[in-house]
Amino acid sequence: MSTSPRVSFFKEASQQVLAGGSAGLVEICLMHPLDVVKTRFQIQRNTSDPSNYKSLGDCFKRIYRSEGLLGFYKGILPPILAETPKRAVKFFTFEQYKKLLTPLSLPPEWVFAIAGFGSGLTEAVVVNPFEVVKVSLQANRDTYALQPSTLAQARNIIQTEGIGLRGLNKGLTATLGRHGVFNMVYFGFYFNVKNAIPVNKDARLEFLRKFTIGLASGTLASIINIPFDVAKSRIQGPQPEPGVIKYRSCWKTIVTVYKEEGFLALYKGLLPKIMRLGPGGAVMLLVYEYSYAWLQKHW
C-alpha cells in the first residue's frame, strides 16, 4: 500500500511531462518565425540607422530577401531542445503548486494565479541558457548557411563569457520576470474564465470556447509581460557598443530604455509577440489538455 502513492505520482508526473512537452513542440514549430521577428524589433534602438526595420511587413520582407526562408527559423534548435523540459516544467509545476496551494483555502482565482507565477519562475531557471543562445542566433543577420551552429554558438558564449550571469545565464532576472508574470496571467485568466463559462455539449463549440479563452489568455499575458521581454532581449542580445555592457540588470535596463527611447520602446515587438503567443498560447493549452486527458484515459 505504501508504494501506490509513489507509483500514482510518477504516473501523473509522466503524463504531465509528455502532454506539456507535446504542447511546447507543436507551438514552437508553428510560431517560431514570429519569435524571430519579435526579437529583431526588440534589439534595435530608436536611431536613424537605415538597417532598422520600419514595420512588421518590412521585417518579414527583408529577412526573406537577405536571409532566405530559413532565416525565419534561426535559433529554433535551442527552443526545440528546451521545449520538452520547459513545457514539462511549466505544466507539471503548475499542477503541483496548485495541489500544494489548494489546502490553504485560498480563493480559486488566487490559487491559479500564484501557481502560475511559481511555475513561471521555475520554468525561467530551466530555459534561460537556451534563451541566451537563441537570442544571439536570432540577432545574427547573416544568411542561414553562414550562421554558426547552435552548439558552436553555445560553446563560443561559454568560452568568451562563461556560464554565470554575464554569460550563458545573463538576463536571468528579466527571464524570471517575463515567465513569472506571463504564467501568472496566462494560467490565472484561462482557468478562472474557463470555469466561469459553462461547458458546451457540442465538441466543436467546446473546442472553440477553450481556444477563444486560450487566445485571450496568451494575448493578455503578452501585453502585460512585454517590458520584461524587451529587457531580456536587450541584455541577451548584442550591446550597442562592442565591449561595453550597457544592459545588465532587468530593472536598470527597463529604466534605461524608458529614459532614452520612451514608454513605447518597452512594447517593441508587441504585435509579432501577440501574433505568436495569442494563438500559440491557445494551441499549447489545448494540446496539453487533450493529450493529458488522452494519456489519463489510455495509460
Side-chain angles (χ1 to χ4, degrees), residues 42-251:
Q42 290 178 341
I43 60 177
Q44 72 180 18
R45 305 177 69 231
N46 287 342
T47 68
S48 57
D49 189 341
S51 67
N52 279 358
Y53 301 111
K54 305 300 185 296
S55 66
L56 191 64
D58 178 56
C59 186
F60 273 107
K61 187 187 301 181
R62 287 168 60 183
I63 289 176
Y64 179 73
R65 285 180 176 174
S66 62
E67 303 168 49
L69 184 62
L70 290 178
F72 292 108
Y73 291 88
K74 285 184 173 181
I76 194 172
L77 188 56
I80 284 180
L81 293 174
E83 280 312 305
T84 298
K86 175 183 176 181
R87 301 311 184 192
V89 167
K90 181 189 193 77
F91 287 99
F92 171 68
T93 56
F94 171 72
E95 298 288 356
Q96 298 309 310
Y97 286 136
K98 187 173 68 174
K99 190 182 294 184
L100 288 172
L101 291 166
T102 300
L104 300 180
S105 300
L106 294 170
E109 57 271 18
W110 283 51
V111 171
F112 291 126
I114 295 172
F117 184 70
S119 74
L121 296 181
T122 311
E123 179 188 24
V125 174
V126 174
V127 78
N128 193 66
F130 296 93
E131 286 289 319
V132 172
V133 178
K134 183 198 76 170
V135 169
S136 65
L137 288 170
Q138 289 178 340
N140 188 320
R141 297 196 183 188
D142 292 332
T143 61
Y144 199 91
L146 295 176
Q147 190 177 54
S149 68
T150 298
L151 186 60
Q153 186 70 5
R155 188 184 299 117
N156 179 60
I157 291 172
I158 293 171
Q159 289 175 347
T160 58
E161 301 172 339
I163 60 173
L165 295 179
R166 296 190 180 183
L168 200 60
N169 274 290
K170 62 185 172 184
L172 178 59
T173 54
T175 306
L176 288 168
R178 185 181 80 154
H179 286 263
V181 171
F182 183 90
N183 283 5
M184 179 178 67
V185 178
Y186 181 63
F187 284 121
F189 184 90
Y190 178 75
F191 285 103
N192 282 301
V193 174
K194 190 184 77 163
N195 292 343
I197 300 176
V199 174
N200 200 300
K201 293 181 181 179
D202 186 306
R204 289 173 297 181
L205 292 177
E206 175 61 10
F207 179 88
L208 182 61
R209 179 184 79 100
K210 289 181 177 179
F211 184 87
T212 302
I213 300 170
L215 178 67
S217 301
T219 300
L220 183 61
S222 297
I223 293 170
I224 292 174
N225 89 322
I226 194 169
F228 294 101
D229 200 3
V230 171
K232 185 190 79 69
S233 293
R234 291 293 179 94
I235 295 168
Q236 295 176 346
Q239 299 290 324
E241 297 180 39
V244 179
I245 301 178
K246 179 176 183 177
Y247 305 116
R248 191 185 300 276
S249 66
C250 177
W251 290 112

Side-chain angles (χ1 to χ4, degrees), residues 243-272:
V244 179
I245 301 178
K246 179 176 183 177
Y247 305 116
R248 191 185 300 276
S249 66
C250 177
W251 290 112
K252 187 176 179 181
T253 298
I254 289 175
V255 171
T256 300
V257 172
Y258 171 73
K259 286 182 176 179
E260 294 185 353
E261 303 171 45
F263 179 74
L264 291 180
L266 296 172
Y267 289 82
K268 282 186 174 181
L270 179 60
L271 182 57

